[in-house]
Amino acid sequence: MTLGVGLSACAGVQSALDPAGHEAREVATLFWVMLIGAAVVWTAVIGVAVYASRFKSGPYDDAVGHRVILWGGVAFPTVVLAGLLVYGLGLMPKLREPGEGLRIDVSGEQFWWRVTYRPKDGAAVASANEIRIPVGERVEFALTSPDVIHAFWIPALGGKVDMIPGRVNRLVLKAEKPGVYRGACTEFCGASHALMAFDVRVMEKPAFEAWLKAQSAPPPSAKGQDLFTRHGCGACHQVSGTDAKGEVGPELTRFGDRLTVGAGLLPNTPKNVARFIRETDTLKPRSKMPAYSALSNEDALEIANWLGSLK
């Protein structure tokens, strides 16, 4: 039972050992190859130690000792490690092949993700804290940061890449099966580093293209929009088709389509959104968004309901 519980951690939406993408599959294979190579070296070393301590009572001849050091301590690990190195380097050309048209700019910020889709043919589409990509297509990610070093990692789809201020690093991923996968920041970036996750939705290509095209349509209006505007939310957030033009915080045009609020912090429900608006400082320490604790529960819920309607 203990073994079963331990192995259950090897699967799931955030497991590098349960790959759902071409790059992640190559990385997982590399892990198993290196694990086997390490096990071979470890077994040989332990075998020699057990033999020397249990079955050999007298001293070794100098010539035997020299041969053991030369073949067991130099030649054998050198050959094994060199083989692993050659195998690992051989993967790099395939993992560095260019994308097939769609580029997604992702900026890691304290403590959320700014996302911009740049299709080969079409206008850029802004989003935040969630990523959608088509299945079976090599998508290029341009990764950067405006503040501190973050790290972009979707374990089920590919390897980790640092996001460095003043530099753009590139990553190409090809998802092999539809589904929802989880990504995270894996470089300590401040007080809410552990509260900085995102969902990745892998969609069939026609559904993805339809979704991307629909992002240009204006969102619906509702009572909560007046409260959103009156309380100055538009100074930091952008909602296309409205007077909200802010760029400090996450883009909210299609917020109702997202699975979570606060970059993976809570499920996206009106109650959780209203709570996040009023208790930001408690739920996400040191984030740049102030807590609107003076806002009544009713008004916060009205805003949350309007944001939930933005689909």
Side-chain angles (χ1 to χ4, degrees):
M1 182 174 178
T2 302
L3 179 60
V5 172
L7 291 177
S8 67
C10 297
V13 297
Q14 197 174 333
S15 174
L17 299 180
D18 186 18
H22 172 72
E23 288 71 23
R25 196 173 304 283
E26 295 287 355
V27 172
T29 301
L30 176 62
F31 166 79
W32 290 116
V33 170
M34 294 187 70
L35 181 64
I36 293 170
V40 170
V41 174
W42 181 85
T43 300
V45 171
I46 295 301
V48 171
V50 170
Y51 174 78
S53 61
R54 297 281 184 172
F55 303 105
K56 182 68 175 176
S57 57
Y60 285 93
D61 181 81
D62 286 347
V64 174
H66 290 158
R67 285 196 295 271
V68 170
I69 292 173
L70 177 63
W71 293 106
V74 178
F76 177 71
T78 298
V79 170
V80 173
L81 295 176
L84 293 174
L85 177 62
V86 170
Y87 177 81
L89 292 176
L91 297 177
M92 294 183 69
K94 290 188 292 184
L95 297 180
R96 292 176 177 269
E97 290 177 354
E100 296 175 345
L102 175 65
R103 192 185 90 200
I104 303 178
D105 297 345
V106 183
S107 175
E109 309 193 10
Q110 294 176 307
F111 300 94
W112 61 284
W113 307 88
R114 187 186 302 274
V115 181
T116 305
Y117 297 86
R118 300 190 184 278
K120 190 173 183 180
D121 300 312
V125 173
S127 185
N129 293 332
E130 184 177 280
I131 295 172
R132 299 194 187 207
I133 59 175
V135 68
E137 181 177 318
R138 293 182 60 79
V139 177
E140 179 179 323
F141 292 84
L143 309 172
T144 189
S145 168
D147 40 48
V148 299
I149 296 177
H150 300 272
F152 181 87
W153 192 23
I154 313 168
L157 299 181
K160 179 178 80 73
V161 175
D162 282 347
M163 310 171 90
I164 303 172
R167 178 184 176 90
V168 176
N169 288 333
R170 301 192 179 275
L171 172 69
V172 178
L173 299 178
K174 179 181 179 181
E176 296 179 333
K177 55 184 178 181
V180 178
Y181 306 98
R182 188 173 175 85
C185 177
T186 52
E187 186 84 29
F188 181 73
C189 55
S192 288
H193 160 69
L195 307 176
M196 188 174 170
F198 60 97
D199 290 307
V200 182
R201 295 205 223 182
V202 179
M203 309 169 67
E204 296 291 351
K205 191 166 184 178
F208 172 79
E209 290 176 346
W211 171 83
L212 193 63
K213 184 178 180 180
Q215 302 312 293
S216 59
S221 179
K223 178 182 176 182
Q225 180 178 346
D226 295 332
L227 292 170
F228 182 89
T229 303
R230 190 190 316 160
H231 289 285
C233 304
C236 293
H237 299 281
Q238 178 179 346
V239 180
S240 296
T242 73
D243 293 332
K245 304 295 183 183
E247 297 183 352
V248 177
E251 203 272 354
L252 301 177
T253 300
R254 291 292 181 272
F255 178 80
D257 263 345
R258 297 172 194 166
L259 299 177
T260 64
V261 59
L265 184 61
L266 297 167
N268 188 0
T269 66
K271 183 178 179 181
N272 284 337
V273 174
R275 182 186 173 199
F276 185 81
I277 292 171
R278 300 184 73 250
E279 303 176 23
T280 316
D281 54 346
T282 301
L283 294 173
K284 202 147 197 179
R286 304 288 180 89
S287 66
K288 295 180 180 179
M289 177 175 169
Y292 282 74
S293 54
L295 197 67
S296 69
N297 286 327
E298 292 75 15
D299 285 353
L301 196 57
E302 286 286 352
I303 295 174
N305 284 325
W306 176 65
L307 291 173
S309 72
L310 304 181
K311 298 181 179 181

